[in-house]
């Protein structure tokens, strides 16, 4: 079992930057694909980005290069760096993990989920 706890969500002005953290416990995440998803007001879960155990990444089109995922396997941490935030990026952001060597962009493929951290971008 892997437990995931997100942190770093807060209120930020449009144009600002924010880094979310995901702390994993229970297992070392070095062999896990890690993903970030978000759920905005009245919206369904939306794929943000993912990083495979080897470091390959895939991002959704909408962040347009403004979001970057990184991981620190010895510390069992995953990060989502967000720049030039927009009001439409307001959402609860979730960290997810699955014991797969592949990049996974579909939420249903992930076995473990955190509780989410709320990001609010004001205009």
């Amino acid at each position: 079992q892997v437990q995931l706890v997100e942190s770093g969500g807060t209120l930020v002005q449009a144009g600002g930057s924010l880094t979310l953290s995901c702390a994993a416990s229970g297992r070392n995440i070095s062999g896990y694909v890690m993903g970030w998803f978000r759920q905005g007001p009245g919206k369904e879960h939306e794929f943000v980005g993912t990083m495979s155990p080897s470091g390959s990444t895939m991002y959704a089109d909408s962040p347009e290069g403004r979001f970057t995922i990184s991981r620190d396997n010895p510390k069992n941490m995953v990060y989502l760096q967000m720049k030039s935030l927009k009001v439409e990026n307001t959402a609860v952001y979730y960290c997810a993990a699955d014991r797969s060597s592949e990049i996974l962009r579909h939420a249903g493929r992930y076995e473990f989920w955190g509780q989410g951290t709320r990001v609010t971008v004001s205009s």
Side-chain angles (χ1 to χ4, degrees):
Q1 293 289 334
V2 176
Q3 292 80 44
L4 303 171
V5 178
E6 303 92 336
S7 63
T10 188
L11 173 65
V12 61
Q13 285 194 327
S17 299
L18 193 63
T19 296
L20 305 182
S21 300
C22 174
S25 61
R27 300 275 185 179
N28 185 268
I29 62 169
S30 60
Y32 287 73
V33 59
M34 304 300 298
W36 284 95
F37 293 79
R38 66 187 179 191
Q39 187 168 19
K43 298 181 180 180
E44 296 186 354
H45 263 86
E46 179 185 20
F47 170 72
V48 175
T50 180
M51 177 178 278
S52 71
S54 66
S56 298
T57 55
M58 175 185 288
Y59 297 95
D61 293 337
S62 56
E64 301 166 338
R66 296 180 293 111
F67 291 6
T68 303
I69 294 174
S70 60
R71 61 194 297 165
D72 187 336
N73 289 336
K75 293 184 177 179
N76 246 17
M77 295 291 295
V78 181
Y79 305 96
L80 178 65
Q81 183 181 30
M82 303 183 291
K83 298 180 179 179
S84 302
L85 284 162
K86 303 178 179 180
V87 172
E88 53 263 39
N89 298 142
T90 293
V92 177
Y93 284 74
Y94 298 88
C95 175
D98 192 82
R99 192 167 180 81
S100 171
S101 61
E102 302 176 347
I103 292 174
L104 301 176
R105 67 174 297 151
H106 296 290
R109 297 288 304 275
Y110 287 84
E111 181 174 2
F112 304 105
W113 290 82
Q115 294 299 307
T117 185
R118 184 175 300 275
V119 174
T120 303
V121 184
S122 64
S123 60

